Amino acid sequence: METVLSGIRPTGNLHLGNYFGALSNFVEMQNHHNCYFFIADFHSLTTHPTPGDLHGNVRQVLVEYLAAGLDPEKSTLYIQSEVPEVAELYLYLNMNAYIGELERCTSFKDKIRQQPQNVNAGLLTYPTLMAADILIHRANKVPVGKDQEQHLEMTRQFGNRFNRMYNVDYFPEPQAFNFGKELVKIPGLNGTGKMGKSEGEGNAIFLSDEPEVIRKKVMKAVTDGGPTIQNQEKPDVIQNIFQLMKVVSAPETYNFFDEMYNTCQIRYGDMKKQLAVDMIAFTEPMREKIKAISADEKYVSNAARIGREKAHESAAKTIREVREIIGFKPF
Ligand code: TYM
């Protein structure tokens, strides 16, 4: 049986990008694989959240994982900071991670641009912490969006280097994985290439958004003046809307509007109305569950407790073995 692992930083509510990048079909997955899903709250410290925000956001992601269908009995759902073995493995991996390769990482370069006042060492070593998350359970498959591809490549690098250094075949090579065929990058609604929490007003559709909010955001989505030549290539902003339709709407709906575009008969207003209807229908079951689960304190804390115990057991085993490989021995 393969081990599947995925994580989400607790920086706010989950959006459709998170869902299609890391979660779609995971309900099915948890029936056939050994699945770990966690909340990367150590990672979120790189942007210095306040204690109040941190706890609330961790709880929100926990609730939303459960609402999206994660079964805490079948999968292991846990909070990264409750499994301190992760931090220990991070320490070991940092000894074999080189400054040059960390500095070349695209996400580090992006962060330097985004927060020049806070270029901390945690940002630089973000990929080693992510590698520790994955290697601590010796995961084979990592469901992620396209933006995490380079981090996965670095994880393989660090795992292989550890194996070579100690002449063992201990860590497997984890592969990035999407439940569809290819890794996805879900675009935003405001013309930006990526749906994300910090990509500006109206960019993201959150799983918890009320129908009216979704409708407003979708109707405001950026479009252009419309095609003038048959089968004209779609500009990026139009591609975005079509791509969003592809993930939430029926294939016939997508094909219909595609045909309308190709024959220059498209009315973007109609397309957006349909997209909003389909997004509302898609998120509906989760929206209701988010409210119900959020109100059930006992269920939430019980889920966190079960997950903590299962994750701890697996992580402690890895740390015991890694310590032995490195050469730490009790006296
Ligand atoms: P984060 O919190 O930014 O995003 C969580 C997951 O959602 C995916 N995602 C997207 N996928 C497609 N289109 C989008 N627009 C989109 N936006 C977000 C991300 O690719 C990710 O899969 N470093 C990670 C968290 C992490 C992790 C891990 C993931 C820490 N340790 C170990 C996997 C394994 C991050 O910041 O994701």
Side-chain angles (χ1 to χ4, degrees), residues 40 94 132 174 254 311:
N94 268 331
Y254 177 89

Side-chain angles (χ1 to χ4, degrees), residues 85 88-89 91-92 162 166 170-171 316-330:
E85 288 84 356
E88 186 171 337
L89 186 58
L91 183 150
Y92 300 147
F162 179 94
Y166 295 105
Y170 187 67
F171 289 123
K317 179 173 181 291
T318 303
I319 284 296
R320 259 196 319 277
E321 293 167 351
V322 165
R323 282 176 153 259
E324 208 177 305
I325 292 170
I326 291 178
F328 292 131
K329 283 187 186 153

Side-chain angles (χ1 to χ4, degrees), residues 5 7-9 15 17-18 21-22 38 40 43 126 130 133-134 142 144-145 147-148 184-186 194-195:
L5 172 135
I8 298 182
R9 265 176 310 138
H15 50 70
N18 298 134
F38 76 98
H43 280 278
Y126 189 106
M130 185 152 158
D133 292 327
I134 297 166
V142 188
V144 280
D147 59 329
Q148 300 296 320
V184 293
K185 181 165 118 183
I186 301 296
K194 187 187 162 191
M195 186 173 286

Side-chain angles (χ1 to χ4, degrees), residues 155-189:
T155 300
R156 285 191 287 274
Q157 180 100 345
F158 298 146
N160 285 334
R161 195 176 289 158
F162 179 94
N163 288 349
R164 269 199 310 278
M165 190 163 220
Y166 295 105
N167 201 17
V168 288
D169 187 15
Y170 187 67
F171 289 123
E173 274 203 338
Q175 301 299 330
F177 167 73
N178 186 278
F179 300 102
K181 285 185 208 80
E182 289 163 11
L183 296 192
V184 293
K185 181 165 118 183
I186 301 296
L189 282 166

